[in-house]
Amino acid sequence: MTKKSPAKSTRKSSPGRKRSVSRKRRPSFLSRSIRFVFKWGIILGLLASIPFALWVWWLNGQVVARFEGQKWQVPSEVYSAPITLQSGSPWNKTDLETLLKDNGYRFGRNSQKVGWAARSNTKVSAYLRSYVDHLGYHESARRIFSFPNGKLAIHTLSGEAVDQAQIEPQRIGFLYGGNTERRQILTFEQIPVSLIDILIAVEDQDFYQHWGISLSGIARAVWVNFTHGSRRQGGSTLTQQLVKNMYLSSERTYTRKLTEVIMSLLLEYHYSKQDIITAYMNEVYLAQVGNSGLHGFAAASQHFFARPLNELNIDELSLLVGMVKGPSLYNPQRSPERAMSRRNTVLAVLKAQGRLTDKDYQLLIKRPIRLSEKQKSRSVYGDYLDLVSLQLSRDFDEDTLATENLRIYTGLDIRAQQAASIAVRRQVKALEKRDKKLQGLQAAMVITDRGNGQVRAVVGSSGDHYTGFNRALGAVRPIGSLVKPPLYLSAIASGKYTWWSKIEDKRLRFNVGGEVWQPENYDRKLHGEVHLYEAMAKSYNLATLNLATQLGFDRIGQTLRDLGVKRPFTMRPSTTLGALELSPFEVARLYQPIASQGRSSELGVVLAVTDQQDRLIKRFTHKGNVPFTDAALAVTLDGMTKVPEIGTARASKREFPNLTYGAKTGTTNGQKDSWFVGITGDYSSVIWLGDDDNVPLSITGSSGAQKVWMDFAKALPQRSLPSSLPDGAFRYSILKDKFEIAAPRCDNKVELAFIVGTQPQESTSCLWPF
C-alpha cells in the first residue's frame, strides 16, 4: 500500500486572531536624535574638559604662587629714632602731653592700659608701648612724669627714680613705592580677635562653614535683590573678596565671576581659614590717600587714628569694618556723617547677633568719631627721606627697597624735625613780611646730635610742601664767616697760639691773578691789636686774615679737609674769609668734630636695616678720626661760646641768658647768604637763608639765620654745653691786659680754655698797696 507524504499545513488562522510578526521595529527619529546628542555630548564634554581642567590647573598654580610667594610688593618703611625722655632735661607738662597725643596715646582717668595716659595738675602718667627695633625687643613700661623747676623727673609706679624712658619709633615714610600702596603687614597673632569677630559678623557669617563660596549667602542675596528690585546685597564670601582683591580685575563679566568662584574653592582647598583671614586683613582696600592706596586694617588704623590696631575700641573697629562696603563712600575724613551712620549699622548687627548688650550699643552709637589730628598738608619728613635714600643707594638696589618691606631705622628726632620745620617756615614768613624784597626767600637747616653725629633733622626748603629740591643737600653756597672757627682751630692746635694771643686787625693787600684784593671788616673800621677770642667772636675779617698769613694758607686748607670738607677747592686768601662753597649738610659735617669735642667726625643717617621678621640685614656705623686732639677741639668750641657773649650772636644770648652754647654767624659778599651755627649740649644746628637766584639780601647771619635758630631753641629747650673739658684742656680766668691767671677778686678778666701747657705760668692776686 502506498504511503502518502505528509501534507503541508494549510490551516488558516481563526478569525479575530492577529498574526505574530518577528521583524524588528526601526527606532524613531526622536530616539535616534537623543542617542546622537547623548553620545557626542559625552565625547565633546570629555574633549572640552581637557582645556577646562588645564585652565583650572593653571588657576591653581596662580593661587599657590601668589599666596605662598611674596603676596605684596610693599615699599620699605622708614622709622625715626625712639624718643628718649631723659631725667633732668628741660621739659614742661604741656609739651609732654602734646608729644604723647601726637604719638597716638589716649588720655583718660588712668593709665592702666598700654597706649593710655592720665594727668593731674602737676604730673603725667603713661603706659608706654613695647616695640621692636634693630636693638631688639623693648618692653612696655608704666611711668610717672613730673616737672620740678622745669626739669623732667621720671619714676616708676612704686616711686623709684628712673634715668630715662622711651617712646617707640614712629614710621616717617616709605622708600620708592610710597606713591602706590600703603600697607602694614600683620601676622594672625597680631590681629585683634574682636576685629575678626566684627568682620565675620558683618561680611560673612558662614565664613567658618563654607568652602569658599556660600550657597546660602548667594540665595539670600538673590532674594534681597529680587524683593527690592535692585542690587542691594552681594553674595561674595570673604574668600571671594580676597580673590577679587589679590588676583582679579574689577570688570564684571560671567567669565570673571566663574574664575572668582573656582579660585575661591582652590584657595580654601589649599589654605586654612586662619591663613585666609590674615591675608584679607592685610589686603583689603580702605581708602585713597593722595596717590597712595591704603590697604589693610593696620595701615588704616595708623592713618585714621594714629595708633596701633590692637588699641582701638569696638566703635573704631566697627568704623573700619563698615568702610569695607564702600571705602570712598564711608571715608570718615570726607563724609563723617555717612561714616558714622555706617558705623552704627555695624554696631546694630553686633547687637542683633548678641555680641553687644543694648546698654553698650546705646553708649557706642552716641560716641563721636575722633580721628587723628596729625596735619597732612606737608611731608615733614620728605627732606630727611632724601638723605636716607642717598645713603641706602650704596648698599641696596631700588627694586629691593621698593618691594620687600624692609624696615629702616634712622636717627631722626621727631621733636627736632617738627621744631625745625616750623621755625624755618615761621621765620622766613616773618622776614618776608618785614621786607617785601625778601619774597621768595629760601632756607635749609641740618640738626645733628652733638655727641654722636647722628643727623636728627633736615629741612630742605621754606615752603609749606615738600618740593623735591632739597637745599640742605643741593644748595652749594659760599659759607662766609663760618670758615673762621676751623681757621682758629689751626692756630690753637699748633700750640703757638691761645685765645688770649693777640693779632693785629689791619689792612692787607693781595695780588690775585693780576688784580689787587684788599678786603675790609664788615663795619669798615680797624680795631688795632685784639685777642684771638675777640677777633673770632666779633668776626673781624682783617685780624683773621692776618692770622691766616702767619699760619700759612696751605695749613688752613689742610685743616678744612681734615675736618671733613670733601668737595674740591683751591686755597686762596679769600677762602679764609668764606669764599668756600659748601651745602648746609657739608657745613654740618665740617663742624661735627668741633661740636662733639672729638667724639664723632662723620654724620650718620641710617642706623640699621631689618627684614619683616626683624632679622638684622645691615648695621651702619659712621667712623672717622681727625688729626686733632680732643683738647684742641674742646678749646675751639669753648672759644665759640664768646660769640653769643660778646660777639655777633648777642641777640640770641639775650633770649637765652642761662644757656651756655657755641655759635657763629656768617654773611657772604653782597649779603647773598645768611648763615648760623648753634651748638648746645644736645644739638649742633646749621641754618642757611638765601635766594635761589643768588640776589643780595637785606639780612645778615645775625638778623636772618640766627632768628630761625632762636625760634627752634625756644620750641625745643636744650641743655647747656658741659662745663667739664676733656683731658688735656682746662679753663682759667685770665687778666685781659696781662697774660696771667687772675684771682677771683680780680675785675678785668676773662675766662678762657687752654690746652694744658699753653696757659699762663704766672698768676696774680690783684692785691694793691695803699
Side-chain angles (χ1 to χ4, degrees):
M1 165 171 198
T2 306
K3 292 183 179 180
K4 294 181 180 180
S5 57
K8 293 181 180 179
S9 175
T10 58
R11 188 177 58 182
K12 297 180 180 180
S13 298
S14 59
R17 181 181 294 178
K18 291 183 179 180
R19 189 177 179 181
S20 62
V21 180
S22 61
R23 188 175 58 188
K24 290 183 178 179
R25 179 184 294 175
R26 185 178 182 183
S28 66
F29 175 77
L30 178 62
S31 177
R32 292 198 305 271
S33 298
I34 292 173
R35 285 186 179 185
F36 179 83
V37 170
F38 182 74
K39 173 184 176 181
W40 285 102
I42 292 176
I43 294 173
L44 293 175
L46 290 172
L47 291 175
S49 67
I50 295 175
F52 179 77
L54 290 174
W55 180 57
V56 173
W57 175 79
W58 180 82
L59 288 179
N60 183 73
Q62 295 295 305
V63 167
V64 172
R66 174 76 186 274
F67 213 81
E68 293 186 0
Q70 186 178 342
K71 295 185 182 68
W72 302 283
Q73 292 191 342
V74 184
S76 297
E77 301 171 304
V78 184
Y79 288 86
S80 71
I83 300 172
T84 300
L85 306 172
Q86 190 77 40
S87 288
S89 59
W91 272 94
N92 63 60
K93 181 170 172 287
T94 301
D95 286 348
L96 182 58
E97 291 174 359
T98 301
L99 176 66
L100 291 169
K101 286 180 181 178
D102 287 346
N103 286 276
Y105 283 77
R106 302 173 191 258
F107 277 82
R109 293 182 178 180
N110 58 59
S111 56
Q112 294 181 4
K113 292 182 179 180
V114 173
W116 282 79
R119 54 194 160 196
S120 66
N121 290 333
T122 59
K123 296 180 180 180
V124 174
S125 66
Y127 208 142
L128 303 177
R129 300 183 181 107
S130 62
Y131 65 92
V132 177
D133 64 5
H134 62 290
L135 298 177
Y137 176 75
H138 305 260
E139 293 185 356
S140 58
R142 193 175 178 190
R143 295 290 180 257
I144 310 296
F145 303 96
S146 56
F147 311 89
N149 301 316
K151 303 290 185 181
L152 185 65
I154 310 174
H155 293 85
T156 63
L157 204 59
S158 61
E160 182 181 353
V162 178
D163 289 336
Q164 66 179 28
Q166 290 186 320
I167 297 176
E168 71 280 5
Q170 302 296 304
R171 188 176 62 194
I172 62 173
F174 301 88
L175 285 188
Y176 297 112
N179 62 340
T180 54
E181 289 185 355
R182 293 188 186 183
R183 200 190 307 267
Q184 183 176 340
I185 308 302
L186 296 176
T187 63
F188 181 77
E189 292 73 22
Q190 294 172 320
I191 303 171
V193 175
S194 53
L195 175 60
I196 297 175
D197 292 341
I198 296 171
L199 180 67
I200 291 175
V202 174
E203 291 292 323
D204 189 357
Q205 297 177 30
D206 301 325
F207 176 71
Y208 288 111
Q209 285 74 47
H210 64 64
W211 286 82
I213 59 174
S214 173
L215 298 179
S216 62
I218 295 173
R220 184 167 55 247
V222 169
W223 172 253
V224 171
N225 296 338
F226 176 76
T227 56
H228 286 82
S230 62
R231 192 177 188 276
R232 295 291 188 88
Q233 191 176 106
S236 294
T237 63
L238 287 177
T239 309
Q240 287 175 274
Q241 293 180 36
L242 178 61
V243 166
K244 282 188 289 187
N245 289 332
M246 285 189 68
Y247 298 96
L248 304 177
S249 66
S250 59
E251 65 174 343
R252 294 190 175 188
T253 63
Y254 290 112
T255 302
R256 194 204 65 80
K257 191 65 178 179
L258 176 61
T259 303
E260 173 191 310
V261 169
I262 293 175
M263 294 185 84
S264 298
L265 293 171
L266 290 170
L267 198 64
E268 291 270 356
Y269 172 76
H270 284 291
Y271 304 104
S272 69
K273 296 289 186 180
Q274 177 176 309
D275 293 333
I276 292 170
I277 199 69
T278 301
Y280 185 96
M281 292 289 181
N282 291 317
E283 171 62 29
V284 62
Y285 171 76
L286 289 170
Q288 187 70 22
V289 183
N291 294 327
S292 303
L294 194 66
H295 289 262
F297 285 102
S301 176
Q302 288 292 346
H303 175 73
F304 290 111
F305 302 108
R307 58 178 60 94
L309 191 62
N310 61 3
E311 293 182 12
L312 298 191
N313 296 326
I314 295 297
D315 58 307
E316 293 166 331
L317 293 174
S318 297
L319 174 70
L320 296 182
V321 170
M323 292 176 63
V324 171
K325 184 177 180 181
S328 179
L329 191 64
Y330 301 115
N331 188 316
Q333 291 176 331
R334 300 175 182 175
S335 307
E337 293 182 1
R338 191 182 294 149
M340 179 178 286
S341 176
R342 175 61 182 161
R343 181 203 68 179
N344 291 347
T345 298
V346 172
L347 292 171
V349 171
L350 300 180
K351 175 178 172 290
Q353 294 185 15
R355 298 175 184 270
L356 277 181
T357 65
D358 184 67
K359 180 180 179 182
D360 289 339
Y361 169 73
Q362 295 297 333
L363 179 66
L364 291 174
I365 62 174
K366 295 176 183 177
R367 282 186 181 175
I369 296 175
R370 295 187 178 93
L371 301 178
S372 166
E373 297 178 357
K374 286 188 175 181
Q375 297 297 315
K376 309 297 180 185
S377 60
R378 174 185 168 90
S379 176
V380 178
Y381 309 111
D383 297 313
Y384 195 95
L385 292 173
D386 286 342
L387 205 54
V388 173
S389 299
L390 185 64
Q391 179 172 345
L392 290 181
S393 64
R394 304 164 191 163
D395 298 279
F396 297 88
D397 63 82
E398 187 171 320
D399 288 341
T400 299
L401 294 171
T403 62
E404 295 192 6
N405 194 211
L406 302 179
R407 290 170 185 168
I408 300 162
Y409 295 96
T410 73
L412 181 130
D413 182 326
I414 292 286
R415 296 179 69 219
Q417 182 68 50
Q418 292 175 345
S421 299
I422 293 171
V424 165
R425 297 202 305 275
R426 181 160 51 207
Q427 291 305 314
V428 166
K429 287 179 180 178
L431 290 168
E432 289 177 328
K433 184 177 180 180
R434 190 193 73 185
D435 184 354
K436 299 301 181 184
K437 294 181 180 179
L438 291 175
Q439 293 296 322
L441 184 66
Q442 273 299 342
M445 190 170 184
V446 179
I447 312 295
T448 66
D449 186 292
R450 185 188 72 84
N452 61 31
Q454 204 68 35
V455 178
R456 298 304 189 192
V458 177
V459 179
S461 74
S462 60
D464 291 331
H465 301 280
Y466 172 66
T467 63
F469 178 37
N470 190 338
R471 291 166 183 81
L473 302 177
V476 180
R477 307 291 286 260
I479 67 173
S481 293
L482 296 193
V483 77
K484 290 175 181 175
L487 186 152
Y488 284 90
L489 168 62
S490 292
I492 298 295
S494 71
K496 299 178 182 179
Y497 297 86
T498 69
W499 284 122
W500 192 92
S501 299
K502 295 182 179 181
I503 195 76
E504 191 74 23
D505 187 56
K506 63 180 181 180
R507 289 189 177 90
L508 292 175
R509 294 162 60 94
F510 296 88
N511 189 321
V512 180
E515 295 184 3
V516 175
W517 180 65
Q518 183 174 311
E520 293 282 349
N521 284 324
Y522 181 78
D523 61 5
R524 302 290 176 175
K525 297 179 181 178
L526 299 177
H527 304 94
E529 194 177 54
V530 295
H531 297 288
L532 260 59
Y533 74 87
E534 293 177 300
M536 191 190 71
K538 298 178 181 181
S539 206
Y540 290 155
N541 289 337
L542 301 181
T544 301
L545 191 55
N546 272 282
L547 177 63
T549 59
Q550 294 180 23
L551 291 169
F553 295 116
D554 290 342
R555 179 170 188 164
I556 295 168
Q558 189 58 47
T559 295
L560 291 169
R561 296 183 181 93
D562 290 339
L563 288 174
V565 175
K566 299 177 181 178
R567 186 179 297 273
F569 68 93
T570 301
M571 192 65 204
R572 298 187 177 95
S574 59
T575 308
T576 63
L577 298 185
L580 172 67
E581 296 186 348
L582 300 174
S583 68
F585 183 81
E586 290 172 310
V587 173
R589 185 171 57 204
L590 170 66
Y591 270 85
Q592 188 59 40
I594 298 173
S596 67
Q597 298 177 334
R599 283 179 290 169
S600 60
S601 59
E602 287 289 340
L603 302 185
V605 180
V606 177
L607 296 170
V609 177
T610 68
D611 63 13
Q612 294 181 41
Q613 287 73 44
D614 300 309
R615 293 184 295 243
L616 184 66
I617 295 176
K618 183 175 179 61
R619 189 187 302 274
F620 291 85
T621 57
H622 52 281
K623 297 180 180 179
N625 296 304
V626 291
F628 301 102
T629 64
D630 295 351
L633 295 166
V635 168
T636 302
L637 177 59
D638 194 79
M640 290 178 65
T641 64
K642 300 302 178 185
V643 179
E645 289 179 7
I646 64 170
T648 56
R650 292 190 303 277
S652 57
K653 188 62 176 180
R654 288 192 293 269
E655 192 68 41
F656 308 107
N658 298 319
L659 183 68
T660 302
Y661 59 99
K664 188 68 191 79
T665 60
T667 308
T668 58
N669 286 341
Q671 294 186 190
K672 296 179 180 180
D673 303 275
S674 170
W675 291 91
F676 187 83
V677 171
I679 304 173
T680 68
D682 297 305
Y683 302 109
S684 176
S685 306
V686 175
I687 301 105
W688 167 84
L689 299 181
D691 190 288
D692 288 340
D693 294 329
N694 201 28
V695 298
L697 307 173
S698 59
I699 54 175
T700 64
S702 299
S703 61
Q706 181 178 216
K707 290 183 179 295
V708 176
W709 183 82
M710 291 163 63
D711 192 320
F712 169 73
K714 285 180 188 176
L716 190 63
Q718 297 166 48
R719 294 175 295 180
S720 292
L721 288 169
S723 58
S724 61
L725 296 175
D727 292 342
F730 204 83
R731 198 177 285 111
Y732 296 91
S733 291
I734 310 296
L735 291 176
K736 289 184 178 180
D737 57 359
K738 194 174 183 180
F739 193 51
E740 293 181 357
I741 299 174
R745 65 172 61 89
C746 296
D747 295 327
N748 190 30
K749 62 184 177 181
V750 61
E751 190 171 56
L752 298 172
F754 292 84
I755 295 176
V756 172
T758 64
Q759 75 273 15
Q761 300 303 309
E762 297 181 3
S763 60
T764 180
S765 60
C766 290
L767 292 177
W768 304 99
F770 294 97

